[in-house]
Amino acid sequence: MKLSNKFTFSRIIFAPIFFVLYFLPIWTGCGTKVSLLIAVPFLIFAEFTDYLDGHYARKHNEVSDFGKLFDPFADVVLHLTSFVCLMHSVKSGLSYMPVYFFVLIMLREFSQNFLRMVAAKQGTAIAARKGGKFKTVMYIVAEFYGIFLELLVRLNVVPECFNILQGCAFALFTICVILSYASFIDYLVHFGKILKDI
């Protein structure tokens, strides 16, 4: 496996590791303060590999049609996993991402991956566009903001303005949903003709 694809694959590996570390205190009631402190560095590195795979693909001339499919697939696995986590908290009834936002984003991502597969079948590899990249940046911002709020809860340092902070998380995820569909429409405009040929 090429180095760039190894970095991409690492995101798929780190996703379930983060998931287990995040939910361990919710399942067992143990390690409430420690588990997320361990999980966050894993997630930071996993997100950083999104830069590393592109960097080394260009540096070593490893850019390929497979990589153009594998990279966004790994992104979806990692981001949907973290979003599932953010619908839950060690504090019962607390959530940072509404379920309906998750469903909307999940449907968008699955539809986008389907479009990529159809395009690949027709001999066209759909690379990430600027709108898609900006959407991904917002995913990461919202993701880490939600994790920061959960960390405050687990460390028992919840400020009085926590409801306002939680409202900011809602606003960030609202932006994520809007950007996700805006970028999907952009892909459809540029590559939707592929669907007409099947």
Side-chain angles (χ1 to χ4, degrees):
M1 183 181 289
K2 298 175 181 177
L3 179 60
S4 57
N5 290 333
K6 287 180 180 178
F7 280 122
T8 303
F9 184 64
S10 69
R11 291 203 290 288
I12 298 175
I13 297 298
F14 282 129
I17 294 175
F18 177 79
F19 179 85
V20 170
L21 288 171
Y22 186 95
F23 274 99
L24 205 56
I26 299 174
W27 294 332
T28 67
C30 302
T32 301
K33 296 181 179 180
V34 177
S35 64
L36 199 54
L37 292 173
I38 297 172
V40 169
F42 276 102
L43 186 61
I44 291 173
F45 180 75
E47 292 291 4
F48 185 56
T49 62
D50 196 16
Y51 162 77
L52 293 176
D53 61 15
H55 171 74
Y56 283 101
R58 291 185 294 270
K59 183 178 179 180
H60 296 159
N61 197 25
E62 296 176 351
V63 177
S64 65
D65 289 346
F66 173 78
K68 291 177 182 178
L69 289 172
F70 194 36
D71 178 63
F73 172 75
D75 286 345
V76 169
V77 170
L78 181 62
H79 292 143
L80 290 185
T81 300
S82 64
F83 290 165
V84 167
C85 293
L86 291 173
M87 290 189 291
H88 302 81
S89 170
V90 292
K91 183 179 179 180
S92 179
L94 183 60
S95 173
Y96 308 103
M97 182 182 196
V99 174
Y100 49 86
F101 278 1
F102 174 81
V103 172
L104 287 171
I105 288 177
M106 178 186 69
L107 292 174
R108 182 272 183 200
E109 296 299 341
F110 284 178
S111 299
Q112 176 67 27
N113 276 337
F114 176 75
L115 178 61
R116 290 183 189 277
M117 288 188 293
V118 172
K121 185 71 173 179
Q122 300 294 323
T124 301
I126 299 179
R129 293 177 58 80
K130 288 183 179 180
K133 291 179 179 179
F134 186 56
K135 176 267 303 180
T136 299
V137 170
M138 281 307 304
Y139 277 10
I140 295 170
V141 170
E143 169 186 81
F144 279 105
Y145 182 78
I147 291 168
F148 168 71
L149 295 184
E150 176 65 8
L151 194 57
L152 293 180
V153 171
R154 296 190 184 196
L155 295 176
N156 293 318
V157 288
V158 179
E160 293 182 2
C161 63
F162 190 78
N163 286 341
I164 297 175
L165 297 178
Q166 195 176 359
C168 292
F170 182 87
L172 285 173
F173 282 115
T174 300
I175 294 171
C176 286
V177 172
I178 293 170
L179 290 178
S180 70
Y181 279 88
S183 65
F184 184 57
I185 291 171
D186 177 58
Y187 280 107
L188 287 177
V189 168
H190 286 84
F191 301 102
K193 60 181 181 181
I194 294 171
L195 298 176
K196 298 178 181 178
D197 298 332
I198 60 176

